[in-house]
Every structure is written in C-alpha cells, then in structure tokens.
Amino acid sequence: MMEFCLIFVAVFEHTFHLYSFEMYGIADLDNCYCSCEKVFRPDLEGKPIVVLSNNDGCVVARSNEAKALGIKEGTPYFQLSQQFPNTKIAVFSSNYELYGELTGRVVSIISKETPAYFRYSIDECFMYLDGIALEDLQKWGEHLHRRVKREVGMPISIGLAPNKTLAKIASKLAKKYQAYRHCCMIDTDYKRERALEWCPIEDVWGIGRRYAAKLQSYGVKTALDFACHHQDWVRQTFNNINIVRTWQELNGMDSVPNEVLAKKKSICTSRSFNGMVGDYDTLRTHVANYASRCAEKLRAQSTVATIVGVFVNTNAFREDLAQYWNFQETRLVTPSNSTSSIVGAASEVLRKIFRQGYQYKKAGVIVMGISADSPIQQDLFDVNAEQIQKMRRLDEVVDRINRMNGSETVVIGAQQYTRKDGKGKADVFANAIKHDFRSKNPTTRWTDIIKLH
C-alpha cells in the first residue's frame, strides 16, 4: 500500500509540475504571404490568391479560398490556367520587401505584449509568457489576435502550451477551428492527448519527411502514437537527440533548448531558374544575387562567414539532356559579411565549376563557418585591414538606402545582366530574378505610395 501511494504521489507531482512550468506561446500569421497581399487590396477578400516562388515558377502560398479550390502547393504557374480554366485566381510574385515590412509591424506589437519573444521565421514568433497568470492566458491570446488584426490588418493564430512543440500543435488547432477564437491553449493532460490524437505525425515540429516515413512504417500515424512509445524505443530506433527531445515535448516536458533556435550556423540561398541557363555570364549574375542575399542575412544577424560555397546542377527530369552537378567552396582570408567579398568569392568558385555545353536549372550559394562579427580574427598576412573597414562602411550605407527606398534600390553591377533592347543595343540592364506579378510596396517606396482619388 505504501509503495502504491508513493507511485501515485510521484505521478501526481509529475502531472502538477508539467503545467506549473513557464508557458510558451507561438504567434503564427495565417497564410502569411497571401494575407500581406490583401492588406492593401480589400477587393481580394474572399477570392482565391496564390503567391509564386522566385522567378514565378510555382505556387508557394495559397489563401484559404485557393486551398478550397484544390490548388496544391508546388503547382507550376503555367498549369493553373489548365487546371482551373474558368476560375479567376489572383496571382502574385513573391514580394519579400512587402512581407518583411508588414510582418515586422506584427513583431513590433508582439514585443510590446509579451515579456520576451524570439522571431523564429518571417511569420512565426515564439513567446515566453513568464509573469502572465495561467487563468489570464486565453484572454491575453485573443486580445493579441484582435490587436494585430486591427493595427496591421492580418489574421494571426496563437498556440499556448508548456513547451514549444505543443505550442506549435496548438497554433495549428487555433488556425483550423474557429471555436478556439484564434487562440488554443494546451494546459491539461486531457487537452494534450486530444491534440496529439488529432495531429498527424508528419505535421509535428521536428519530425522531417524522412523520419515521418520511418515512423509510419512502424505504424505510427499520429503524434499520440509516437508519444505512447517508450523513450528507450525512441533512443534505440533513431539514435538522434532531436527526435528524443521531440518525444519528450509531446509527453509534456520542456526539452528543446533555446540554443536550437539560435543564430544560423550556415546560410543557403538557392533558386530554380525560369527556364534553362547555358551561358556563364547569366549564371554568374544569378549566383551574384544569391551571394548578395547571403551577405545581407549575415549582416542582419551580426555575423561573418569564413567559407563560401557554390553549387550548380542541371535538370534531372530532362533525361534527353546531358547531366552535370558540382559543388566547391573557398575559404576567406578574413571572415566577412561584405557583399563585395562574398560575391567575389562566389564568382571565383563558379568560374572553377562551370562547364560549357550544359543547360543549368538551379544554382545556390552557401556560407559556412559563421561566427559573431566582433571581434574578427584577421589573418596575420592580410594587409587589407583598411579596405575591410571601407567595405563595412559601404555596406552600411547601401543597407540604409535599401531600407529607406526599398530593397535592391542599390545593387552591385554583378547582380544585373545586360540584354539587348529593341534596336539590338546591349545596354539595357535588367534584374536577374523574374517577378512579373509583383505588387507595389506602399510602405517602403515613395513611388508606390497609395494615391487617393
């Protein structure tokens, strides 16, 4: 009897402590890109909207109306008119300048409403809710939704739970079911089990496609199926600390450390081209654009990179064409986040791996060996210390101009390619990225300010 009582007390204490921990929240913008496009276009309310990938290749974002039509993520743009011939669909090119500015407004509101937060992606913020009473959290989440909707014009879903993984699942429930009033809180074991029972294993944060397929082969279909397995089985089957942490979080423990959400250790920017690219100059222009974006990301998180890598590959689906893939990297003498340095290194690597006679479909730039931008360990034999300071000042000026006047207002010459005009003269400069359906930027460009009639 005494032994039974001790076991009961241990279980009771575990259950009590589980929901006495600091609560986490996640704010997730609903259909972020499409919602951004609707902010200044009230005429789009209730209409199907899709946003295309870079170079207007395929669908990467869909409004609820587009999802209801049956438009799938990844659908090539040219197939939309074939699959939905009698339906008027609003199509937009990716406009990250607009999305970044509007989501930045949302983050500004979150920063005022929460004790602490961490921006996880362009449309998601983790929130640490220490200091807000448990009984007040539901009303707090509903208030946050109303404020964002009122001040920015975008819908947001809030998930609240004792850890980050459960908070992610709660936000999915808040997004799917209107009865939650845009805020779902998991604060009891009963709610946790019902949420896990609803959530497919492939939708669990931290379970990638490969691990989801392996779990499904073991008969694990839902998050609850996975949580019900023994921890020893999880360790032996996967031998992966992140999967074990996910299992622990599904069982109510707070296991994913904040370092997992820390600054990136590598940054990759890559795109599939609109069509094929066979000449070196055009390919170099694309690579220069990707390298420039990597440099911007490094500066945004106050870091520098030591290694710059470039990859190129042809279209594996075109079996009628010769195939080629290659990747090489180079090490910078002094770690850098300068656009000129990163672009120059990437161009040098591309020159080494480029092969004439192939039709390339994709390229990308990866920067690695990332560390804080201060202090920078300079090479003993690097005599360009003064030049480094000049490049840093130049990047600061360019970043400031682009923030004030819109992204890509100022770019380096390598980021544009020359094409012939109607008279055969090769003096027309054009952006290397196709965006025929890009909307205006009324909050960041003077030329796009809304005009009232």
Side-chain angles (χ1 to χ4, degrees):
M1 185 66 179
M2 179 64 71
E3 183 179 356
F4 172 79
C5 289
L6 289 174
I7 293 174
F8 177 80
V9 169
V11 172
F12 176 80
E13 286 182 348
H14 173 71
T15 305
F16 175 79
H17 285 303
L18 172 62
Y19 299 110
S20 297
F21 286 151
E22 173 186 331
M23 291 287 282
Y24 292 87
I26 186 167
D28 186 0
L29 286 162
D30 300 350
N31 306 318
C32 178
Y33 293 173
C34 295
S35 296
C36 287
E37 297 291 353
K38 290 166 64 175
V39 168
F40 299 105
R41 291 285 305 276
D43 58 302
L44 295 176
E45 190 64 40
K47 297 180 180 178
I49 304 170
V50 298
V51 176
L52 304 178
S53 62
N54 285 284
N55 290 313
D56 295 343
C58 61
V59 174
V60 294
R62 304 158 292 159
S63 66
N64 289 332
E65 295 79 9
K67 294 175 184 177
L69 278 177
I71 299 175
K72 304 296 183 183
E73 186 174 353
T75 301
Y77 165 64
F78 71 88
Q79 290 184 4
L80 289 177
S81 58
Q82 301 172 4
Q83 296 180 7
F84 308 93
N86 301 316
T87 305
K88 189 173 181 179
I89 302 170
V91 179
F92 293 94
S93 303
S94 296
N95 187 348
Y96 298 113
E97 182 179 335
L98 175 67
Y99 309 154
E101 205 278 332
L102 290 179
T103 56
R105 296 185 179 197
V106 175
V107 173
S108 178
I109 293 173
I110 291 173
S111 69
K112 295 179 176 66
E113 292 284 348
T114 59
Y117 73 96
F118 177 85
R119 188 169 188 176
Y120 180 62
S121 65
I122 190 172
D123 61 345
E124 292 177 300
C125 266
F126 279 108
M127 301 172 291
Y128 307 101
L129 306 177
D130 187 31
I132 302 178
L134 186 64
E135 59 269 21
D136 296 333
L137 278 177
Q138 183 70 36
K139 291 183 179 179
W140 174 86
E142 294 172 11
H143 162 75
L144 178 60
H145 162 80
R146 290 193 298 271
R147 182 175 177 184
V148 170
K149 182 67 175 176
R150 181 178 66 250
E151 297 183 17
V152 185
M154 297 175 65
I156 193 169
S157 298
I158 294 97
L160 308 172
N163 60 53
K164 304 176 186 73
T165 304
L166 290 177
K168 290 276 285 186
I169 294 175
S171 71
K172 293 178 185 292
L173 285 164
K175 190 175 297 189
K176 186 174 179 64
Y177 297 106
Q178 293 183 355
Y180 286 110
R181 299 191 297 274
H182 309 282
C183 178
C184 173
M185 181 164 66
I186 298 175
D187 58 343
T188 67
D189 261 328
Y190 177 78
K191 291 181 181 179
R192 177 182 65 84
E193 291 174 1
R194 297 291 72 78
L196 299 189
E197 186 179 28
W198 166 84
C199 183
I201 188 63
E202 62 269 20
D203 288 347
V204 176
W205 183 52
I207 302 292
R209 185 181 304 174
R210 182 165 60 92
Y211 286 121
K214 186 173 182 178
L215 283 165
Q216 288 167 350
S217 71
Y218 285 106
V220 176
K221 304 299 181 184
T222 67
L224 184 61
D225 293 337
F226 182 44
C228 286
H229 274 280
H230 196 279
Q231 183 168 338
D232 291 341
W233 178 85
V234 178
R235 292 182 184 277
Q236 293 170 6
T237 304
F238 295 94
N239 192 29
N240 184 298
I241 185 60
N242 292 323
I243 298 298
V244 174
R245 285 171 175 164
T246 298
W247 178 90
Q248 291 172 340
E249 295 229 336
L250 293 177
N251 280 283
M253 292 169 267
D254 184 9
S255 301
V256 175
N258 293 336
E259 302 88 79
V260 173
L261 308 178
K263 294 174 181 177
K264 298 178 180 178
K265 299 303 180 183
S266 66
I267 294 174
C268 176
T269 302
S270 64
R271 300 285 185 273
S272 292
F273 307 137
N274 178 40
M276 306 275 219
V277 174
D279 64 289
Y280 173 75
D281 289 338
T282 302
L283 190 60
R284 183 184 61 179
T285 304
H286 285 289
V287 168
N289 274 282
Y290 307 153
S292 175
R293 184 67 185 126
C294 286
E296 290 174 7
K297 291 179 180 179
L298 286 169
R299 293 196 294 273
Q301 65 175 31
S302 300
T303 56
V304 291
T306 306
I307 299 170
V308 179
V310 177
F311 70 84
V312 294
N313 58 263
T314 53
N315 191 344
F317 296 100
R318 289 292 302 273
E319 297 179 357
D320 57 316
L321 297 176
Q323 299 295 317
Y324 174 69
W325 182 93
N326 204 346
F327 169 83
Q328 282 191 29
E329 61 188 41
T330 186
R331 182 174 292 273
L332 301 175
V333 175
T334 299
S336 178
N337 56 21
S338 165
T339 296
S340 295
S341 298
I342 303 295
V343 170
S347 299
E348 183 63 24
V349 174
L350 177 65
R351 186 183 62 78
K352 296 177 181 178
I353 64 176
F354 176 79
R355 298 292 182 273
Q356 195 70 44
Y358 293 98
Q359 294 295 311
Y360 296 95
K361 183 59 179 176
K362 187 175 184 179
V365 176
I366 305 173
V367 292
M368 297 170 284
I370 294 177
S371 60
D373 63 359
S374 180
I376 295 177
Q377 181 64 49
Q378 291 188 217
D379 188 274
L380 178 63
F381 302 102
D382 186 3
V383 296
N384 295 318
E386 184 178 347
Q387 182 68 16
I388 291 172
Q389 292 303 317
K390 288 182 179 179
M391 297 309 301
R392 175 173 289 188
R393 291 194 295 270
L394 175 62
D395 287 325
E396 289 174 354
V397 171
V398 171
D399 287 344
R400 186 163 60 250
I401 292 173
N402 287 338
R403 280 195 302 269
M404 295 174 61
N405 299 279
S407 63
E408 299 177 358
T409 298
V410 177
V411 299
I412 63 175
Q415 290 180 251
Q416 295 182 320
Y417 63 86
T418 307
R419 68 184 181 192
K420 293 182 179 180
D421 62 11
K423 300 179 181 180
K425 295 182 179 180
D427 59 357
V428 179
F429 291 94
N431 195 300
I433 299 177
K434 182 180 179 182
H435 36 65
D436 293 342
F437 310 104
R438 189 166 68 178
S439 54
K440 292 186 177 182
N441 297 281
T443 60
T444 54
R445 294 177 184 259
W446 289 108
T447 56
D448 292 348
I449 288 180
I450 294 174
K451 298 176 183 177
L452 301 178
H453 299 285

